[in-house]
Amino acid sequence: MYAMVVRFEDGPQDLEDGISHVQDEVIPVADATPGVAGFWLVDRQTGERLSVMVFEDESSAEQVFGAVGERRAADPERNRPSPVGSKRYDVYGLAGITREGSRHGG
């Protein structure tokens, strides 16, 4: 199990476009993919956004990135801001999410 943390530093228009991209294209795919959990964070004052996605394995990550790539290809003119950095982390503990990616109580 691992997490990907992707960081963005957006101007005002890129900030709104990036949020819309995540809400329209990334979250629905991640939500429909078993073994995936995600958190998307924003500091509107500085324009910094963080995408934090947890993957059970490489297969679940490939499913998400493949499906998001298909959506990008279907609308190549849409503004999707580029990240300024990303990093992979091993997950050594979880709270509120089971190892299968489902939420407690759900």
Side-chain angles (χ1 to χ4, degrees):
M1 180 177 290
Y2 68 93
M4 287 294 300
V5 178
V6 182
R7 191 169 68 85
F8 299 82
E9 292 178 357
D10 299 330
Q13 187 60 55
D14 279 348
L15 181 70
E16 294 307 318
D17 289 348
I19 290 170
S20 292
H21 158 64
V22 167
Q23 291 174 330
D24 297 345
E25 298 179 316
V26 180
I27 291 174
V29 169
D31 200 36
T33 306
V36 177
F39 303 91
W40 292 269
L41 313 169
V42 64
D43 179 335
R44 290 184 183 277
Q45 290 184 341
T46 65
E48 183 178 21
R49 287 186 299 120
L50 295 174
S51 294
V52 182
M53 297 183 72
V54 178
F55 301 102
E56 183 68 30
D57 53 31
E58 291 296 331
S59 176
S60 59
E62 289 170 4
Q63 287 177 27
V64 169
F65 293 130
V68 170
E70 289 173 8
R71 290 177 179 218
R72 292 176 71 94
D75 187 4
E77 299 302 314
R78 183 174 186 171
N79 182 28
R80 297 171 183 92
S82 297
V84 296
S86 65
K87 189 165 181 179
R88 180 179 168 145
Y89 296 87
D90 290 332
V91 175
Y92 67 91
L94 292 172
I97 301 173
T98 65
R99 286 194 58 83
E100 291 78 34
S102 63
R103 282 89 186 149
H104 284 291

